[in-house]
Amino acid sequence: MAKSSAGRSALSRIMQILAAFDVDAVFLTVSQLSVRSGLALATTHRLVAEMEQFGLLERQPDKTYRLGVRLWEIACRTPGALGLREIAKPYLQEVQARVRQHTQLGILEGHEVLFLERLSTRDAVVNVTLVGGRLPLHASSSGLVLLAYADAAFQDEVLASDLFRYTDQTVQAPEDLRGLLQQIRRDGYACGRGYIHAEARGIAVPIRGVNEVVVAAVSVVVPNDDAPVTGFVRLLQAAAQAISKDLHAAYAPPNDPAAPPGGRYRTLVSSSLDSMEYLPSAPRPRVRR
């Protein structure tokens, strides 16, 4: 049966093509894009050609396509996820310097946690997280923190869904998960022992944005041994508090006492002090798009 794109907007079809790429499918032919996106081959051909013109896709010598650098360029202008990543990066580095395993930053995206950053050492414990990758909320420490502070209706929706089990330690039963979420809110952190891999333990705490809303989670993945969790939690909480403070400053009105010197660039961009002073007034050539 021929596939149809009737009733779908041009933007939705473009998003279907972009979503066809993942870490296991970086280079795809038009035919593969058609199959993975669910779009008709003729429609895929037309959209791919147009997306290539705008730099959203890049054609390779073997006639496969990959995601274009133009997407990265556009994404870097957002003060949302990438702004958060820029603000958090120095504090993540401080945590990683102490832990020397894995340090991560994740946000809520649908029923999953989307990881914006991960710092790792070569001899660190097993970790399946990838930058730009996702994990189910119920199975990861970061996801559990984000789920614990979400509203009740969303929690009900997630707990009623099909919950994947990685190991025999992954918590699946809705009643057990409700108790775990309550414990996380009480303690202020999540600790997942062997939830995704038997040798790994994830520990996460919330990051709060404007109006104290939980906007992200900072976590470490360390060996699943008998080392006390308290030291990791305190280290993560100190980082989370510093990130939260900088987030408040970044989004404060210019005349607010909390607003950083140097204006909006101060906390959304990491650079030298001299660069930060010069950046707001630097001349910029007009760029044709």
Side-chain angles (χ1 to χ4, degrees), residues 235-252:
L235 185 63
L236 288 170
Q237 287 177 335
Q241 289 169 5
I243 295 168
S244 297
K245 181 179 178 181
D246 281 359
L247 277 174
H248 280 81
Y251 295 105

Side-chain angles (χ1 to χ4, degrees), residues 37-259:
S37 67
L39 298 174
L41 186 59
T43 300
T44 306
H45 265 290
R46 177 174 56 80
L47 288 173
V48 164
E50 190 170 1
M51 292 169 73
E52 183 186 5
Q53 288 181 344
F54 283 95
L56 303 180
L57 295 179
E58 296 175 0
R59 190 172 188 266
Q60 305 304 295
D62 62 356
K63 297 183 181 181
T64 61
Y65 288 83
R66 69 178 183 185
L67 294 174
V69 174
R70 181 73 169 132
L71 288 169
W72 172 84
E73 179 187 358
I74 294 170
C76 283
R77 298 174 188 168
T78 175
L82 290 177
L84 170 62
R85 177 178 177 267
E86 192 76 13
I87 288 170
K89 188 70 173 284
Y91 304 108
L92 299 178
Q93 291 170 333
E94 291 177 5
V95 172
Q96 177 63 7
R98 296 274 301 276
V99 175
R100 298 197 57 78
Q101 287 287 329
H102 304 280
T103 303
Q104 308 173 144
L105 176 70
I107 61 173
L108 182 67
E109 181 65 24
H111 286 195
E112 299 167 310
V113 51
L114 170 64
F115 290 95
L116 304 182
E117 185 59 275
R118 189 195 74 175
L119 306 176
S120 303
T121 55
R122 284 189 173 273
D123 58 349
V125 71
V126 173
N127 183 9
V128 300
T129 302
L130 297 170
V131 175
R134 299 166 180 252
L135 286 175
L137 292 175
H138 74 286
S140 63
S141 59
S142 294
L144 285 167
V145 161
L146 296 170
L147 184 58
Y149 291 95
D151 62 62
F154 180 75
Q155 290 181 0
D156 290 342
E157 182 182 317
V158 172
L159 269 56
S161 63
D162 186 20
L163 302 178
F164 183 79
R165 189 171 192 175
Y166 289 88
T167 72
D168 57 5
Q169 297 301 309
T170 308
V171 183
Q172 280 183 301
E175 60 274 17
D176 293 338
L177 278 168
R178 290 189 191 281
L180 181 57
L181 297 179
Q182 184 177 10
Q183 178 183 335
I184 291 169
R185 289 192 297 272
R186 183 185 68 239
D187 297 342
Y189 71 90
C191 179
R193 292 181 175 273
Y195 286 4
I196 293 179
H197 191 281
E199 297 178 8
R201 173 174 48 152
I203 305 164
V205 304
I207 296 172
R208 299 180 184 274
V210 178
N211 298 323
E212 295 301 307
V213 174
V214 172
V215 296
V218 57
S219 64
V220 294
V221 176
V222 297
N224 189 16
D225 54 25
D226 295 328
V229 73
T230 307
F232 295 116
V233 172
R234 289 176 178 169
L235 185 63
L236 288 170
Q237 287 177 335
Q241 289 169 5
I243 295 168
S244 297
K245 181 179 178 181
D246 281 359
L247 277 174
H248 280 81
Y251 295 105
N255 58 349
D256 191 297

